[in-house]
Amino acid sequence: MAQMGRPRGFDRDAAVKQAMHLFWERGYESTSLNDLKAGIGGGISSPSLYAAFGSKEGLFHEAVELYLATHGQVMECLWDASLSPREAIEQSLRRSARMQSERGHPRGCMIALGAMGACSPEHADTDKPVKAARERNEAGLLACVRRGIAQGDFPAELDAQATAMALYGFLLGMSTMARDGASRAMLEGAVSRMMDLLGPALK
């Protein structure tokens, strides 16, 4: 007997993007298999979904990879050595604010929102790529603050760890504000105020 295959004209890249939007909007556990089957390619069967992606978890991991390679790139300026630490931090926050409030995809940040809808213990491994991305962003902010203190961009007495945690908490909080309808102007205004709290540029 012939096995049931994927629909004719199945676009795998488009399917991953559609799944990314579903997971971004609802979270991993709240996105059911039926949601995925209905939302991918105008409708896909369970055998076809498993044939293409292996499992719901496999599809989720591909969706996270796509997010990090596209929308998640807003944070990459934290590792841009051509920018001053202050510039790198401000650009990352402003780019994130714009991305989280723009049209064409769910509002907020898929990685930050994942912290609020973390997987249950039995699915802890599923959440590892999302957690790793959050930890990388937090480490990037800390590295920028430390570099800024060392280079005289920030006051020498600034507590690097506490400052990085405050910036990271603000970054996570923007996702909730964006999801609740905050406009780009509102988010960017909050970024300006956050940068003011770091003190004036010393260079």
Side-chain angles (χ1 to χ4, degrees):
M1 179 182 295
Q3 290 187 339
M4 186 175 183
R6 294 187 289 275
R8 183 174 297 176
F10 178 79
D11 186 331
R12 198 176 193 285
D13 291 339
V16 174
K17 183 176 181 180
Q18 290 163 341
M20 177 187 72
H21 285 178
L22 286 170
F23 287 127
W24 188 346
E25 181 68 38
R26 305 177 188 183
Y28 177 78
E29 293 197 346
S30 294
T31 303
S32 69
L33 184 59
N34 284 336
D35 292 332
L36 293 168
K37 286 161 55 180
I40 290 177
I44 185 174
S45 68
S46 294
S48 296
L49 188 148
Y50 284 111
F53 303 106
S55 64
K56 176 185 173 183
E57 180 178 351
L59 177 54
F60 177 71
H61 286 169
E62 288 197 39
V64 171
E65 288 177 6
L66 176 61
Y67 179 88
L68 293 175
T70 53
H71 305 286
Q73 289 295 299
V74 295
M75 300 302 295
E76 287 305 302
C77 49
L78 290 175
W79 294 272
D80 186 346
S82 70
L83 299 174
S84 73
R86 178 180 288 273
E87 289 171 336
I89 291 170
E90 184 168 4
Q91 282 194 26
S92 69
L93 295 179
R94 291 198 184 281
R95 289 177 180 178
S96 185
R98 288 195 293 271
M99 182 278 291
Q100 293 189 46
S101 56
E102 67 189 7
R103 297 179 180 178
H105 58 69
R107 294 175 68 88
C109 167
M110 183 179 180
I111 300 304
L113 291 168
M116 301 167 209
C119 294
S120 55
E122 61 266 30
H123 294 135
D125 287 346
T126 301
D127 197 45
K128 283 183 178 179
V130 180
K131 183 179 179 182
R134 290 195 297 268
E135 290 174 346
R136 182 173 183 267
N137 288 339
E138 185 176 12
L141 288 167
L142 178 58
C144 275
V145 174
R146 285 176 171 166
R147 185 162 62 93
I149 293 172
Q151 295 178 1
D153 206 21
F154 297 133
E157 64 273 15
L158 198 68
D159 185 323
Q161 187 73 53
T163 301
M165 287 185 68
L167 288 166
Y168 180 60
F170 175 79
L171 180 65
L172 294 180
M174 276 205 298
S175 282
T176 301
M177 292 187 286
R179 182 57 64 91
D180 286 346
S183 67
R184 172 180 168 179
M186 293 170 66
L187 294 177
E188 291 224 49
V191 170
S192 295
R193 181 58 183 144
M194 191 67 189
M195 296 307 298
D196 288 343
L197 294 175
L198 290 177
L202 300 182
K203 285 189 174 182

